Amino acid sequence: MNIRIASTLGWAYPVEKLVKLIESEEITGIEVWAEHVWKYKSSPQAIGKAKKEKNIEFTMHAASWDLNLCALNSGIRKQSVQEIIRSVELALQIGANNITFHPGKLTLESLEVSWHEELLFESLEKIYGKAKQEGVIMSLEMMEWKKKEFVIEPSCIKRLIKPFSPYIQTTFDIAHIPFHLDIFSIWRQMPDVSKIHISDATDKILHLPLGDGDIGRETLNKFLYMDGIPVVIEGFDPSQELFALKKNLTYVKRNAKLLKEGIC
């Protein structure tokens, strides 16, 4: 079991404080979002110290919210690459490996996907160079099915990462798979998965606390307890009360108990 939580579930607190607030035997680490660190201007040394004191593992989610690695605007593309590289440098400072990043999206829905893929390849080459230089694993996330997203199928991910193996692998987010598709069929087609992102979802809302959506306990649990790779519980919660985080921890603890009793 290698269950971690996304730092964005504790957005109200700096990462170094959030680390100390996590009290759960079932949680082995935190996926630190770069924007979370930068928002609070946290010291990497303070985060690293908290990590050592709590004896937990870190993965990293690179900057993504304001970026587009395949934007029509070359300035946006270049800055997006620089922010990913900046995220890699932060990961090295805090002792995190396995760095998830987003592929970017169409600037306009009417533009050719193949043209955006060419621009994305150019950005990936630069990110690959940094990853190889530093000896870290980058993990390209397959995105949700919504407007302007085009990296939404295993075949596309496979094509994109093939030239950059083993330094660019993939992140599989179960909430990104539409309900009309067989999630396990999609999973079997995924290449080089180095990390799973997990949360619940409905047809209209993604990244809900576990048990609050329609994915179903059986499916959630099969991915939650996947062996061999980090499984990161995702979501965003700006509340000081940590409502979403506590809901997720309750779900994990309850299911761990049921597993021990052989009930699920």
Side-chain angles (χ1 to χ4, degrees), residues 1-263:
M1 190 165 65
N2 193 358
I3 302 173
R4 310 182 183 201
I5 62 127
S7 70
T8 48
L9 283 166
W11 187 255
Y13 299 95
V15 172
E16 63 272 23
K17 184 170 183 180
L18 178 64
V19 170
K20 298 175 182 178
L21 292 174
I22 304 300
E23 296 291 345
S24 174
E25 294 179 0
E26 292 77 29
I27 302 300
T28 64
I30 294 178
E31 175 136 298
V32 178
W33 280 59
E35 288 103 337
H36 196 160
V37 177
W38 298 334
K39 176 184 186 293
Y40 289 96
K41 297 181 174 62
S42 294
S43 158
Q45 291 74 28
I47 295 172
K49 181 181 178 183
K51 173 180 180 284
K52 186 176 181 180
E53 289 174 354
K54 291 288 286 189
N55 191 30
I56 62 173
E57 299 296 323
F58 281 168
T59 50
M60 168 68 74
H61 197 300
S64 63
W65 289 334
D66 298 318
L67 310 184
N68 189 353
L69 290 173
C70 52
L72 172 63
N73 185 306
S74 63
I76 298 296
R77 288 200 311 276
K78 289 175 183 177
Q79 188 60 40
S80 296
V81 170
Q82 287 306 307
E83 294 301 323
I84 302 297
I85 289 174
R86 186 180 169 213
S87 300
V88 172
E89 291 168 349
L90 174 61
L92 293 167
Q93 290 177 304
I94 66 172
N97 200 342
N98 201 327
I99 305 160
T100 292
F101 68 110
H102 289 185
K105 61 186 73 174
L106 305 178
T107 297
L108 296 171
E109 289 182 74
S110 57
L111 292 176
E112 288 287 337
V113 170
S114 59
W115 184 75
H116 277 277
E117 271 199 29
E118 289 179 17
L119 296 177
L120 180 53
F121 268 117
E122 291 177 11
S123 295
L124 290 176
E125 282 183 329
K126 296 179 177 69
I127 293 166
Y128 165 77
K130 180 66 173 178
K132 187 175 181 180
Q133 175 187 325
E134 302 293 354
V136 299
I137 298 298
M138 305 299 296
S139 194
L140 184 64
E141 186 166 0
M142 190 169 76
M143 303 306 293
E144 64 267 39
W145 288 42
K146 69 178 186 180
K147 288 182 178 181
K148 297 187 178 181
E149 299 288 1
F150 68 95
V151 183
I152 58 173
E153 295 180 331
S155 58
C156 182
I157 281 275
K158 196 173 199 176
R159 185 167 60 249
L160 289 169
I161 71 167
K162 186 177 180 180
F164 309 113
S165 178
Y167 291 99
I168 298 183
Q169 300 180 19
T170 61
T171 294
F172 183 75
D173 191 321
I174 75 166
H176 289 178
I177 309 304
F179 283 97
H180 71 274
L181 297 179
D182 180 349
I183 191 170
F184 294 106
S185 175
I186 302 296
W187 165 254
R188 289 190 292 271
Q189 296 173 55
M190 287 292 292
D192 298 332
V193 177
S194 64
K195 189 191 298 176
I196 292 170
H197 284 172
I198 188 168
S199 57
D200 216 332
T202 66
D203 275 332
K204 295 182 179 179
I205 306 173
L206 303 185
H207 306 310
L208 294 168
L210 300 175
D212 276 12
D214 299 326
I215 290 178
R217 191 177 74 176
E218 183 177 353
T219 298
L220 289 173
N221 286 355
K222 282 185 178 179
F223 285 103
L224 187 62
Y225 300 110
M226 194 75 69
D227 288 331
I229 56 176
V231 179
V232 181
I233 301 172
E234 281 212 308
F236 183 86
D237 185 356
S239 74
Q240 292 187 341
E241 295 81 5
L242 302 172
F243 293 122
L245 175 58
K246 289 175 181 176
K247 269 192 172 185
N248 282 306
L249 294 180
T250 297
Y251 181 97
V252 171
K253 186 173 183 178
R254 181 176 65 245
N255 275 271
K257 182 180 179 182
L258 293 174
L259 279 171
K260 286 179 181 178
E261 296 172 354
I263 297 174

